[in-house]
Amino acid sequence: MNRQNRTEKRWPARVMILVILVLLAVWLQSVHARSGWQQAGFTSFSLGFLLLLAYVSANLLNTARIPLISGYIFAGMVIGPHITGLLSHVMVTKLRLVDDLALSFIALTAGATLHLKFLRKRIVAIVLNISLLTILVFVLVSGFLIVAGPFFAFARSLSRPQIIALGLLIGVIAVARSPSSAIAIIRECRASGIFTETVLGVTVAMDVLIIIFFTVALAVSRMITAPDPVLNWHVFSALLGETTVSLMLGAVLGKGIAVYIRKVNRDLPLFLLFIAFGISKASFWLDHFMEAQYAVSLHLEPLLVCMSAGFAVQNLSSQGARMLESLERISLPIYVLFFALAGASLDLTALRMTWPVATGIATARTIGIFLATWLAGTIQGDPPGHNRIAWMAYLTQAGVAIGLAQLAERQFPDIGVYVTTLVLAVITINQVVGPVTFKVALEMVGEAESV
Amino acid sequence: MKIAFTLLIIIFLVFSGYHLTFRNVRLPFLARQFYFTGSEFLFLGVLLGPQFLNLLDRPTQNSLAPFISLLLGWIGLIFGFQFERTKIKNFAKSSFTAAVIEGTACFVLVFFAVYCIAPLFLDIPGGMKGDAAVVLAATAACTGQSGLALVVLEYGARFGRLSRFLRLVSSIDGVVPFVIFGLFFSWRIGGLPYLSGLGELGGGLIVLLISCLGALLIFVFFLREARKESELILLLIAVAILAGGMSSTLGISPLFLTFLLGILLVNTLREKERIYQILITVEKPAYLAILLFLGANWRLTSAWIVPLAVAFCVYRTLVKVSAGMFVTRLASSGEGRIPALLGFGLLHQGGLPLAMLLDFQQGFLFQGASGIVGLVLLGVLFNDVVGFFSLRRLLETSMQ
């Protein structure tokens, strides 16, 4: 049976699920809750509803080659407070408890997909791509925002230093890409080859580096927006210390996970869930505790700890495959919820106001990626055909970028909402376009087995 | 932060605890008994609750509503999955009937006693006497299999025929009381204004049926395609939360709705075995989490509770023994000779009454409800200890 026939057979069942879910939601919305228990019940219903609706509609959209992650975000947008209102603002806020967990999970998976052996083999190409991508994308995107930002309506209420900070933060976030999307597409196409491996290496390694770049951007932005701007070099030494401690802690934790897998090897998915959740919460707790008790700012970066832990399990033990398999078993509900909630929390009113900027950022980012990959390929002496289309493989953006935007929102309440809205708008564009272009690129270089 | 921290603590306790619990480790008898049934989690719940650490207070529990829905939905599905038509057909008809009659008789006898006596000692408003009696009777009628498992672990599987029959009774006798509890729940709490023409019970039933049908159709359509394990996990989590939340909003029992759904699924789906395997993976952790939540809300509201719990357990024992005597006559034809004092082997209460109690605690928020919860919890602890001795004695006697 060919793909088209299979698709034709499947879509009526998927549509039926959506119809049933919507009917149930409409029915429940008409019920007047008399007690706190009934109101809490509606929150639970919304969570189950969101999970199912996002997953089924993403699968439905996937038949039109729209990637699943884009489908989750889109489903979240549709049922969120701005379009149908099936999920209210309050409910979305309540359900966002899962954010930190999901981000830690994504980081753990990203770390575990990095193979040291492969990284060594393609190290020059990867370093060259990463360096050029970081510099050019950052310069073009932040430059665009700093120069053109004041001409847009949303920025009129912002001061010059705030616009510069906004440019720096979004410029750094624009460098991030999505390992989960990249891996999903590579698996979907059963792709393999030099092009595929280089893209994977750059994408995953970039997700480690982006956290360091982002922390630097946060420190510089804090300095710029402070009433008394002084470049505090102590911030950078503290960052270096925090990064080192986070990486080391992650490595130790990774060894611990490997020992658990080797010796206990029970309930591994749940153990990893607990670890991911524990790291994200313990980092925040330690941060607050040290600040409140000793006036010491010790900010361990949970994403970096998790990524380092995943990397350690994969490369310093023989348990990497087992861990990846376990992560995959339970990652689906977490991913669906995370991306659907990210879509539901999109401020579409702000998005309507900022779409010209979002398009501008996406364009600047794409130009930066094109220049960087073309230059890197030319220096490396890669085939010209590859160099011309390599940019298509780097557009996808998701989890970590959203997480970074949220961190920025917490650190800079004045400009944070713009950062999140713009980043989500750009991600929405990139997540719809990026996976499709990546798939096309894999086909064009002849590394995709099936399409 | 508090919600996340509490959830983290619960996950840690439950998943680290369940590997250590339910084992026959060498401890003094009472401690082993306590440990084997997971009763220590009730006390951990008390520790986490408002009386001590205040981590699991009422607002936090409300925020964890999806988690509670997931627990109740999950346990309901597991219970429903035990009623597969082909497996039930394997039992002798007389044994099945005997088990059902035993459970129903216990329910009726405990119901009337509690209805008349409990309000004299507990602060239960007049209109709520029936609510208290139904939950106490339904939980009292259920028999758990954990006691039998412990005795078999202790003495080896030497009691073939009788232990098989006890296992059958303990898996069936809670059905009728549980169905009564579920329907009563729908009648008392559920019902929608536009269905008032059908009466409170009729309205509740319609709501129950529509909800159940909706959830079933989601399953059926979802499983029209071959699904990977990760997709089935997603489906189960989502439907358990959805059905649990839907039933809470509509005022019907989440546990009962998912129980009905479980029965329908196990008798209609081809994928039932794969689904059941996923469900039972976290059965024990789910049960321990229920104990934590119950423990957090456990209050000894009246000085009468402890003597009342003892009296309740003694009465329950008498009822179980009497009902047992009655049904052994029925079952003896199908299962060979069954000892007349069968009821002494049916005192353990198991996990289902605890899930029903959590369900009750969520839906029935009247004055005196916490007293009823306290009474049942004391009863469960008491029966866990007494049940083991009486079951062992019964099995030993039957060997002679």
Side-chain angles (χ1 to χ4, degrees):
Chain A
M1 198 185 291
N2 63 29
R3 185 190 162 91
Q4 198 184 347
N5 278 348
R6 277 205 310 269
T7 306
E8 278 171 12
K9 273 193 118 178
R10 284 171 185 174
W11 78 260
R14 292 173 184 173
V15 170
M16 282 308 294
I17 297 175
L18 294 183
V19 170
I20 294 163
L21 283 170
V22 171
L23 286 175
L24 287 175
V26 171
W27 183 35
L28 258 71
Q29 276 204 322
S30 73
V31 176
H32 174 65
R34 285 166 291 180
S35 66
W37 175 65
Q38 286 179 301
Q39 282 163 1
F42 193 69
T43 308
S44 304
F45 170 81
S46 307
L47 179 62
F49 173 80
L50 182 68
L51 273 170
L52 284 169
L53 190 109
Y55 187 68
V56 175
S57 49
N59 272 279
L60 204 58
L61 291 172
N62 193 238
T63 55
R65 301 216 172 178
I66 294 174
L68 288 171
I69 294 167
S70 315
Y72 304 148
I73 295 175
F74 184 65
M77 280 166 69
V78 172
I79 59 176
H82 293 281
I83 298 185
T84 59
L86 286 172
L87 278 183
S88 67
H89 273 297
V90 179
M91 244 173 250
V92 171
T93 313
K94 274 185 186 171
L95 297 176
R96 296 217 72 165
L97 184 72
V98 78
D99 277 0
D100 294 325
L101 169 68
L103 280 171
S104 301
F105 228 78
I106 292 166
L108 207 57
T109 313
T113 47
L114 274 177
H115 292 264
L116 203 56
K117 212 165 89 183
F118 162 74
L119 287 177
R120 279 201 198 112
K121 213 165 64 184
R122 295 283 298 166
I123 192 76
V124 179
I126 291 171
V127 169
L128 203 57
N129 269 292
I130 288 176
S131 310
L132 289 169
L133 278 167
T134 307
I135 295 165
L136 290 173
V137 171
F138 174 74
V139 167
L140 284 176
V141 172
S142 52
F144 167 77
L145 272 168
I146 292 166
V147 175
F151 299 104
F152 292 104
F154 81 95
R156 279 186 200 133
S157 60
L158 300 179
S159 64
R160 187 71 191 151
Q162 281 178 324
I163 292 175
I164 294 172
L166 184 75
L168 291 179
L169 291 171
I170 293 184
V172 167
I173 295 172
V175 175
R177 24 203 47 86
S178 165
S180 53
S181 308
I183 292 164
I185 292 151
I186 289 169
R187 280 189 188 163
E188 196 178 317
C189 298
R190 277 174 269 166
S192 61
I194 290 175
F195 182 80
T196 308
E197 286 177 354
T198 309
V199 171
L200 188 61
V202 170
T203 305
V204 177
M206 187 72 101
D207 256 37
V208 179
L209 295 171
I210 190 68
I211 293 163
I212 299 169
F213 299 151
F214 183 72
T215 316
V216 175
L218 273 183
V220 174
S221 302
R222 214 174 286 136
M223 188 201 81
I224 292 170
T225 52
D228 184 19
V230 180
L231 183 58
N232 188 356
W233 290 102
H234 174 71
V235 170
F236 295 101
S237 58
L239 168 68
L240 189 69
E242 285 167 2
T243 308
T244 312
V245 172
S246 298
L247 288 171
M248 281 167 63
L249 190 69
V252 171
L253 204 66
K255 284 300 276 181
I257 295 172
V259 169
Y260 179 87
I261 299 173
R262 203 175 60 246
K263 300 237 162 140
V264 185
N265 201 17
R266 264 192 316 215
D267 298 322
L268 189 53
L270 290 160
F271 175 74
L272 294 171
L273 186 82
F274 176 74
I275 290 285
F277 201 34
I279 290 171
S280 70
K281 290 302 153 198
S283 304
F284 286 123
W285 177 81
L286 191 69
D287 193 13
H288 283 121
F289 178 78
M290 295 299 282
E291 190 79 53
Q293 295 293 317
Y294 306 106
V296 172
S297 174
L298 176 72
H299 180 67
L300 292 179
E301 181 49 66
L303 296 184
L304 211 51
V305 176
C306 285
M307 224 175 255
S308 169
F311 183 81
V313 177
Q314 184 62 266
N315 296 290
L316 305 178
S317 79
S318 53
Q319 317 297 333
R322 176 97 179 82
M323 186 177 90
L324 270 177
E325 184 197 320
S326 298
L327 284 170
E328 204 171 306
R329 271 191 83 195
I330 46 165
S331 59
L332 186 62
I334 295 169
Y335 275 43
V336 174
L337 195 60
F338 174 69
F339 289 114
L341 282 173
S345 25
L346 268 177
D347 188 345
L348 294 184
T349 316
L351 184 63
R352 261 198 297 277
M353 279 170 63
T354 57
W355 74 266
V357 199
T359 315
I361 294 169
T363 310
R365 181 173 180 267
T366 309
I367 295 169
I369 291 171
F370 173 77
L371 289 175
T373 50
W374 179 80
L375 212 55
T378 307
I379 294 168
Q380 274 278 294
D382 288 345
H386 284 203
N387 297 342
R388 274 196 300 273
I389 58 164
W391 65 274
M392 295 165 83
Y394 293 102
L395 292 183
T396 56
Q397 235 191 340
V400 172
I402 297 174
L404 296 179
Q406 286 167 346
L407 283 178
E409 192 174 339
R410 280 182 215 162
Q411 300 263 340
F412 298 94
D414 296 341
I415 58 168
V417 67
Y418 300 108
V419 176
T420 311
T421 308
L422 285 174
V423 166
L424 284 172
V426 176
I427 285 173
T428 308
I429 298 167
N430 288 328
Q431 270 306 96
V432 173
V433 179
V436 180
T437 56
F438 188 16
K439 221 171 177 176
V440 173
L442 289 173
E443 284 170 43
M444 288 172 76
V445 296
E447 292 188 2
E449 193 182 293
S450 68
V451 184
Chain B
M1 186 72 182
K2 187 180 177 184
I3 299 162
F5 184 66
T6 309
L7 190 59
L8 190 67
I9 292 278
I10 291 173
I11 294 173
F12 175 76
L13 285 175
V14 161
F15 284 99
S16 58
Y18 104 92
H19 286 302
L20 305 172
T21 306
F22 307 117
R23 286 172 181 216
N24 192 25
V25 287
R26 289 285 133 206
L27 287 172
F29 172 74
L30 274 178
R32 189 168 75 239
Q33 186 67 15
F34 191 68
Y35 186 61
F36 179 81
T37 52
S39 307
E40 72 272 21
F41 278 79
L42 264 182
F43 295 94
L44 281 173
V46 174
L47 192 69
L48 292 180
Q51 296 175 86
F52 291 94
L53 296 175
N54 199 30
L55 278 173
L56 209 49
D57 55 7
R58 190 40 84 174
T60 309
Q61 285 183 46
N62 282 342
S63 301
L64 293 175
F67 186 65
I68 297 175
S69 295
L70 178 64
L71 290 176
L72 291 173
W74 204 270
I75 295 291
L77 283 172
I78 291 175
F79 189 47
F81 260 72
Q82 288 169 15
F83 292 87
E84 192 179 349
R85 206 173 45 223
T86 47
K87 284 183 185 161
I88 290 175
K89 271 184 180 171
N90 291 337
F91 297 129
K93 210 172 175 179
S94 56
S95 307
F96 186 82
T97 314
V100 170
I101 291 176
E102 185 271 321
T104 313
C106 284
F107 177 87
V108 173
L109 292 172
V110 175
F111 176 85
F112 284 111
V114 171
Y115 190 82
C116 300
I117 295 167
L120 301 176
F121 300 95
L122 292 173
D123 187 18
I124 301 170
M128 305 297 173
K129 280 197 297 185
D131 303 3
V134 166
V135 73
L136 280 166
T139 53
C142 294
T143 307
Q145 298 188 2
S146 48
L148 193 62
L150 184 57
V151 176
V152 169
L153 266 175
E154 190 98 343
Y155 296 98
R158 285 186 287 150
F159 317 105
R161 187 178 50 79
L162 182 58
S163 74
R164 234 191 358 261
F165 182 67
L166 282 168
R167 198 170 294 132
L168 164 74
V169 175
S170 56
S171 61
I172 301 287
D173 69 351
V175 175
V176 173
F178 180 56
V179 170
I180 296 172
F181 169 79
L183 293 176
F184 180 81
F185 200 118
S186 310
W187 174 53
R188 292 287 289 150
I189 314 279
L192 298 170
Y194 48 81
L195 294 172
S196 56
L198 298 163
E200 280 168 327
L201 184 59
L205 268 176
I206 296 288
V207 167
L208 196 62
L209 287 175
I210 296 172
S211 316
C212 199
L213 188 70
L216 175 72
L217 287 175
I218 289 171
F219 258 99
V220 170
F221 286 119
F222 197 88
L223 295 174
R224 289 279 286 272
E225 303 169 32
R227 296 290 185 180
K228 287 185 283 188
E229 192 192 6
S230 58
E231 289 177 298
L232 289 182
I233 293 173
L234 171 86
L235 173 72
L236 283 170
I237 291 176
V239 172
I241 298 176
L242 180 118
M246 181 162 62
S247 40
S248 304
T249 311
L250 295 167
I252 52 181
S253 156
L255 191 66
F256 188 56
L257 174 69
T258 47
F259 162 71
L260 293 180
L261 182 63
I263 295 179
L264 292 171
L265 291 175
V266 77
N267 289 297
T268 51
L269 294 182
R270 271 180 305 169
E271 300 266 27
K272 60 192 170 206
E273 203 46 54
R274 281 179 74 201
I275 291 177
Y276 186 61
Q277 286 310 318
I278 295 170
L279 283 173
I280 55 164
T281 315
V282 284
E283 181 195 7
K284 284 173 183 167
Y287 166 64
L288 293 181
I290 284 176
L291 284 170
L292 283 179
F293 278 102
L294 285 171
N297 293 307
W298 193 6
R299 310 264 186 290
L300 296 179
T301 49
S302 149
W304 282 107
I305 289 265
V306 177
L308 205 58
V310 174
F312 177 64
C313 290
V314 171
Y315 180 68
R316 178 177 178 267
T317 306
L318 288 173
V319 166
K320 280 274 178 193
V321 172
S322 315
M325 270 181 183
F326 175 69
V327 298
T328 47
R329 291 169 178 274
L330 273 176
S332 288
S333 57
E335 295 284 340
R337 197 179 169 286
I338 303 288
L341 293 175
L342 175 84
F344 280 115
L346 302 173
L347 298 184
H348 251 277
Q349 283 189 268
L352 182 63
L354 294 170
M356 283 159 72
L357 205 58
L358 183 62
D359 210 14
F360 169 80
Q361 196 179 58
Q362 301 290 310
F364 291 79
L365 298 167
F366 62 86
Q367 194 189 0
S370 57
I372 292 161
V373 172
L375 187 64
V376 176
L377 289 178
L378 281 172
V380 168
L381 288 176
F382 180 81
N383 284 320
D384 277 351
V385 178
V386 176
F388 175 81
F389 284 115
S390 59
L391 177 63
R392 190 174 66 181
R393 181 88 187 117
L394 174 77
L395 291 169
E396 281 172 351
T397 316
S398 76
M399 291 287 289
Q400 288 161 7

